[in-house]
Every structure is written in structure tokens, then in C-alpha cells.
Amino acid sequence: MAKKPDRKTRKAVKKQSRAELERQLKKAQRALATAEAKAKADVKRARSETKKAVREVRKAAKHAEREARSVAEATRTIADAAVIAPVEKAVVPAAAVKKPDSTWTVTALRQAARAEGVAGYSRLGKDALLERLTK
């Protein structure tokens, strides 16, 4: 049979296992401290990125607001100009106005009929348009 370790040997083994446990504890404490520092840095970085994103969104909102005001102002200016300066109709001498003839296309005849206020011009053919326009 194996001989039982003596008292000195048992004390040495206890001392060694205690030292090993203390080393493992210190190692775990260092790992914990490292993880805490990393987590703290991650939180700091996330806050910084969030603040930056908020600044960018606010800047974009201000820009959009300014742009909207600018568009609204331009719209008001155009509307005011339309009210102030009504469009003047161009006066074309009667001699310069050409009378429709058979060389005109149906599209051109319809445009002329629309300008003269001929009712039902869109359903009329070329001959009927010419007849109504030359009366």
C-alpha cells in the first residue's frame, strides 16, 4: 500500500493549492477589470456617436426648414408677381394670321379650332374642321 503523506507534505500541498487559487483569483480580477474598462469605453463611444448623429439630424432638419421657407417665399413671390403683372395678350395683325387651308394637318386645325372656340372640334375630321374654320 501507498504510504500516507506526512504532515509536512500535506501542509505544502495546501499551501501550493492556496497559492494557485490566489493566482486564479487575481487573473479573474484582471479580466474583470479589463472587461469593465472595455465596457466603459464602448458606452463612451456609443454616447459620442449618438450625440454626433443627433447633431447631424438637427442640422439636416434646420437645412430642410430653411429650404422650405425659401421655396415658400419663392412661391409667394411668383404668386405676387402674377397678381401684380397680368399677362398681356399679344396683338397680331389680321394680315399676319394665316387662314387654314388643306395643307394644314388635323392637329393644327384642331388647335386653331380650340383657339377660336369651336364646339366639338375634337370629334371633327379634317374637312369638317376646314369648313367650320373658314366660315
Side-chain angles (χ1 to χ4, degrees):
M1 283 204 156
K3 190 175 162 189
K4 208 174 183 187
D6 63 350
R7 191 172 200 196
K8 231 180 183 180
T9 307
R10 282 191 307 242
K11 254 186 170 180
V13 168
K14 277 186 182 179
K15 192 174 182 182
Q16 185 181 10
S17 61
R18 182 176 178 189
E20 180 63 30
L21 289 174
E22 285 176 352
R23 277 194 298 272
Q24 289 176 357
L25 176 63
K26 285 182 182 179
K27 187 177 179 182
Q29 287 173 337
R30 282 192 304 266
L32 177 63
T34 303
E36 285 175 342
K38 186 176 181 219
K40 196 174 185 179
D42 288 346
V43 167
K44 187 176 180 180
R45 187 179 66 251
R47 281 185 183 150
S48 172
E49 289 173 359
T50 302
K51 286 180 182 179
K52 183 179 177 183
V54 167
R55 280 193 304 269
E56 288 175 3
V57 167
R58 286 182 179 158
K59 185 178 178 180
K62 280 184 181 179
H63 178 71
E65 189 177 327
R66 275 190 245 120
E67 192 70 27
R69 274 194 237 124
S70 173
V71 168
E73 182 63 32
T75 304
R76 279 194 299 273
T77 303
I78 291 170
D80 292 346
V83 169
I84 293 170
V87 177
E88 295 180 17
K89 292 186 179 179
V91 178
V92 179
V97 176
K98 293 174 80 178
K99 297 272 182 175
D101 59 19
S102 60
T103 61
W104 284 31
T105 64
V106 175
T107 305
L109 290 168
R110 284 187 177 149
Q111 287 175 348
R114 184 184 317 128
E116 290 189 22
V118 175
Y121 69 89
S122 63
R123 289 173 294 212
L124 299 176
K126 186 172 184 174
D127 295 331
L129 284 167
L130 273 170
E131 183 183 323
R132 293 233 183 135
L133 288 171
T134 55
K135 283 185 182 179

